[in-house]
Amino acid sequence: MEKNKKKWSDEPLPNKIVTVISVVIALAVIVLAILQIFNVWSFAIDIIIPLMGLNLLCQTYIMWNHSRKAAYFNLACAIFVFICSLFVLLTKYYFKI
């Protein structure tokens, strides 16, 4: 068995909070994706993309002490997702392309 395995009770409170927020965001993304797929709410994708960026930020916080390289990669991906989301929203609503 692994000796480095941590129990949930051993995790600091901020990590627990961020983990729960991450799970809630992931569930919201799944629900919104289902609504988008079945064309119940056609603008759900506009909410999904920034939520995925927020989830990446949560993963960055969680991974920060375990693996800095993975945390930096998550941070770069989150920034990329937010930039793409902003670009899509601007072109979709401001420029009406």
Side-chain angles (χ1 to χ4, degrees), residues 6-97:
K6 285 188 175 181
K7 293 181 181 177
W8 177 254
S9 59
D10 294 338
E11 288 288 323
L13 183 61
N15 280 7
K16 289 179 184 179
I17 292 171
V18 171
T19 301
V20 170
I21 290 171
S22 179
V23 169
V24 169
I25 290 172
L27 290 173
V29 167
I30 291 169
V31 169
L32 289 171
I34 291 170
L35 291 175
Q36 178 76 33
I37 289 170
F38 290 113
N39 211 12
V40 174
W41 188 25
S42 60
F43 297 109
I45 194 70
D46 297 335
I47 308 295
I48 291 172
I49 297 171
L51 283 177
M52 290 171 49
L54 283 176
N55 201 3
L56 282 167
L57 286 178
C58 290
Q59 294 303 317
T60 300
Y61 181 81
I62 292 168
M63 292 298 297
W64 193 256
N65 290 329
H66 302 292
S67 173
R68 287 282 167 100
K69 289 180 182 178
Y72 284 131
F73 183 73
N74 279 337
L75 183 61
C77 289
I79 291 169
F80 179 73
V81 167
F82 285 131
I83 290 171
C84 289
S85 175
L86 183 65
F87 179 75
V88 167
L89 289 176
L90 284 176
T91 57
K92 191 173 185 179
Y93 295 110
Y94 187 70
F95 299 116
K96 306 234 188 225
I97 294 177

